[in-house]
Amino acid sequence: LTDECQRIGLNVMGPDINTSRNGFAVNHQGNIVYGLGAISGVGKAAVEEIVKEKDTNGEYKDIIDFVSRIDSRSVTKANIEALAATGAFDNFKDIHRAQILSINPQTGSSYADSLVKHGADIKRIKNTVQLSLFGEAQEQELIEFQFPEVEELTLYQKLKLEKKYLGMYVSGHPRE
């Protein structure tokens, strides 16, 4: 598919949390964008939640904005791992794939799991505004999410994950 598209002058881009839809789509630059529904490990309910929330409330600003807006019953840790593995969050400049996929030594699971819990905490705090003695609303403070300091994935590691979750390479090719 990508070879044929390149032959006729079309670029196939990896999935992107802000521009991808359920199926393949064309972005503003005329490139074909991989559909979220075609990612192995991201189900229909997750895709519908992600797209509906984006269409209703605008593009996701960063990964924390994403996890605080989605319904964690529809978009799970496994979905976030698959999205990260395929580069769907690569346009967020403050993080990279390895930071989401690496294992948190305190919990023994990936940082994707910690992100889901952090997003739920943000929602809980927003929904439980406490009233002070004088009837003023007071918001609780939330500790800022700390990503691990880890090396970015190599091109080969990215390609291996893309092949696993997308069935094809989108960042390049192992023979290049």
Side-chain angles (χ1 to χ4, degrees):
L1 171 71
T2 54
D3 291 339
E4 182 62 20
C5 287
Q6 287 176 346
R7 188 183 69 73
I8 61 173
L10 294 174
N11 291 323
V12 177
M13 310 301 289
D16 179 274
I17 204 68
N18 280 321
T19 58
S20 292
R21 310 294 295 173
N22 181 43
F24 287 83
V26 177
N27 67 12
H28 297 297
Q29 293 81 29
N31 298 318
I32 297 173
V33 181
Y34 209 93
L36 298 176
I39 301 171
S40 178
V42 181
K44 183 179 178 182
V47 172
E48 288 174 354
E49 172 67 19
I50 292 165
V51 172
K52 181 184 78 162
E53 173 59 30
K54 180 183 57 86
D55 289 348
T56 303
N57 296 308
E59 289 189 352
Y60 302 105
K61 293 178 246 155
D62 55 36
I63 190 75
I64 302 301
D65 182 47
F66 173 77
V67 296
S68 69
R69 289 171 48 189
I70 50 100
D71 183 347
S72 60
R73 292 171 297 187
S74 298
V75 183
T76 65
K77 168 193 123 162
N79 301 143
I80 292 174
E81 288 172 341
L83 290 164
T86 60
F89 301 119
D90 283 0
N91 283 334
F92 297 150
K93 299 302 178 202
D94 55 340
I95 60 158
H96 55 82
R97 298 180 199 191
Q99 290 176 299
I100 299 168
L101 299 173
S102 64
I103 301 299
N104 183 336
Q106 296 173 336
T107 64
S109 63
S110 74
Y111 276 88
D113 189 40
S114 301
L115 278 166
V116 170
K117 291 175 183 168
H118 190 72
D121 288 345
I122 292 171
K123 279 191 237 157
R124 180 183 46 75
I125 287 171
K126 284 181 180 177
N127 291 333
T128 59
V129 175
Q130 295 180 346
L131 293 178
S132 74
L133 180 63
F134 303 103
E136 298 168 342
Q138 293 180 332
E139 288 192 25
Q140 298 175 357
E141 289 291 321
L142 182 68
I143 297 171
E144 187 176 327
F145 192 85
Q146 295 296 315
F147 285 101
E149 295 291 326
V150 295
E151 293 289 320
E152 289 192 39
L153 297 175
T154 65
L155 179 59
Y156 178 75
Q157 290 169 319
K158 288 179 182 180
L159 293 173
K160 192 173 174 183
L161 288 169
E162 289 171 3
K163 183 70 170 171
K164 175 182 176 181
Y165 287 99
L166 301 175
M168 60 188 266
Y169 307 113
V170 292
S171 296
H173 196 280
R175 289 181 275 168
E176 293 175 355

